[in-house]
Amino acid sequence: MGPKKKIRRIGVLTGGGDCPGLNAVIRAVTAHSILNHKIEVFGIRDGYSGLINKKLKKLSLEDVSGILPRGGTILGTSNRDNPFKYPADTSEIEKKYIDVSKRVIKTVEYNELDAVITIGGDGTQAIANRLYEECSIPVVGIPKTIDNDLGGTDVTFGFDTALTIATNSIDKIHSTAESHHRIMVIEVMGRYAGWIALHAGIAGGGDVILIPELPFTIEKIGEKINERLSRGKRFSLIVVAEGAKIKGEDVVAARRVSDPNDPLRLGGISTVVGNKIEDLTGIESRYTILGHVQRGGSPTAFDRILATRFGFHSVEAVVRGEFGYMVGLKGKDIKTTPIKEAIAEPRRVKPDSDLIKTARSVGTSFGT
Ligand code: F6P
């Protein structure tokens, strides 16, 4: 914990992929700082790019009025601008990456920021932690991601909205599956964690749920579909996480890109599963990739409340001088955890967890 000093100005940034609830946090941070602590708030544009390239804007109560239910982020975001691995301005064909963290220090000093609140997932928080440890920048983190794969919190904001969208989509696809006697494969996001697939699969009544934590076989999925057929059920719903993989095989990527932070764009496992399962069972199959629909639009009430609580408590952590920490939901309370601990390893579904057992108890197969 840093020495307590009077906080006059703070910066706030949103990093990584956008996510429902970001604006609700920005509103809460700004309103609570101005109304209750007389702290000035500066919005940092486009994630760490704003700190590297000095793109800041003072936020007023008016700026954050009406943004609570809006998707996206009024500040803009970026999942490319890592100050410790920043693309050098060079004409060479092969990209070179350099450390520009000194530029971040300069921006913080020039704008007299007493703290920076970093709203983001594991990538954003890993950078925040380095800025804190290596550059002495006073940071407080707020956990955001639809993937729900960050430690230090029971749940990240954005997850509930993504889950609700995915569940509603499964419900819509259910009717076509039933009318046409088809196998419908629904691919959800989540990167290398199966939280969205598991929760939406249970909520939407998926007959098969495929998650990265439990590599599957096509034969086992076929067994489940045939078992349903033997009970007169001529359709099946398969919910698959984008990071799920066939036992012994690699994840399916839509594209490989030259981004050192995230070289794989996941996507397409539903096509593989749909085609293979049609070949195996002879039942017509279709697939739907939900994609960024899960990240857009208005946050659910749960996410708006969680985001507002995170905003309030992050400002309180700043005022207490609790730098290098991240706020999080633990049970019913908001608590802080060192960012270092929160990012130590991704939070993934435990194969022997109660939710997996619950899904199995109603006959759901995981293709294992
Ligand atoms: O981390 C959130 C997330 O939506 C993942 O679920 C997904 O794999 C990834 O971001 C997609 O990122 P992008 O918008 O950069 O394609």
Side-chain angles (χ1 to χ4, degrees), residues 114-181:
D114 298 312
V116 177
I117 293 179
T118 56
I119 311 169
D122 54 354
T124 303
Q125 302 309 346
I127 294 169
N129 195 53
R130 283 191 72 179
L131 288 173
Y132 172 67
E133 287 186 347
E134 297 169 31
C135 307
S136 303
I137 293 182
V139 301
V140 168
I142 299 185
K144 162 244 68 162
T145 165
I146 64 162
D147 305 335
N148 201 29
D149 60 353
L150 195 57
T153 186
D154 294 348
V155 65
T156 53
F157 78 83
F159 172 66
D160 186 67
T161 306
L163 159 64
T164 303
I165 295 169
T167 304
N168 290 340
S169 307
I170 297 168
D171 286 350
K172 288 189 175 132
I173 288 169
H174 199 142
S175 46
T176 303
E178 204 163 358
S179 317
H180 286 262
H181 318 296

Side-chain angles (χ1 to χ4, degrees), residues 32-99:
H32 181 44
S33 299
I34 295 175
L35 293 173
N36 303 306
H37 289 293
K38 307 229 172 330
I39 295 173
E40 289 182 319
V41 182
F42 283 75
I44 299 160
R45 297 215 189 263
D46 302 335
Y48 289 109
S49 165
L51 277 182
I52 296 165
N53 301 306
K54 288 206 181 111
K55 295 185 287 182
L56 288 84
K57 178 195 184 298
K58 188 170 166 183
L59 294 176
S60 65
L61 289 176
E62 192 47 38
D63 288 323
V64 297
S65 165
I67 67 171
L68 169 70
R70 269 169 56 189
T73 160
I74 59 163
L75 298 177
T77 186
S78 156
N79 44 14
R80 291 178 170 262
D81 300 286
N82 179 349
F84 298 98
K85 225 179 201 180
Y86 196 66
D89 202 4
T90 153
S91 54
E92 287 166 46
I93 295 179
E94 193 164 328
K95 271 193 184 159
K96 280 213 173 98
Y97 295 90
I98 52 170
D99 184 337

Side-chain angles (χ1 to χ4, degrees), residues 16-19 79-80 121-122 144-149 188-193 196 242-243 259 262 264-267 291-292 294-295:
D18 71 344
C19 162
N79 44 14
R80 291 178 170 262
D122 54 354
K144 162 244 68 162
T145 165
I146 64 162
D147 305 335
N148 201 29
D149 60 353
V188 299
M189 281 186 164
R191 277 167 88 200
Y192 301 101
I196 301 178
E242 62 181 357
D259 176 352
D262 206 357
L264 282 191
R265 285 195 196 145
L266 296 177
H292 291 83
Q294 296 158 94
R295 250 168 53 184

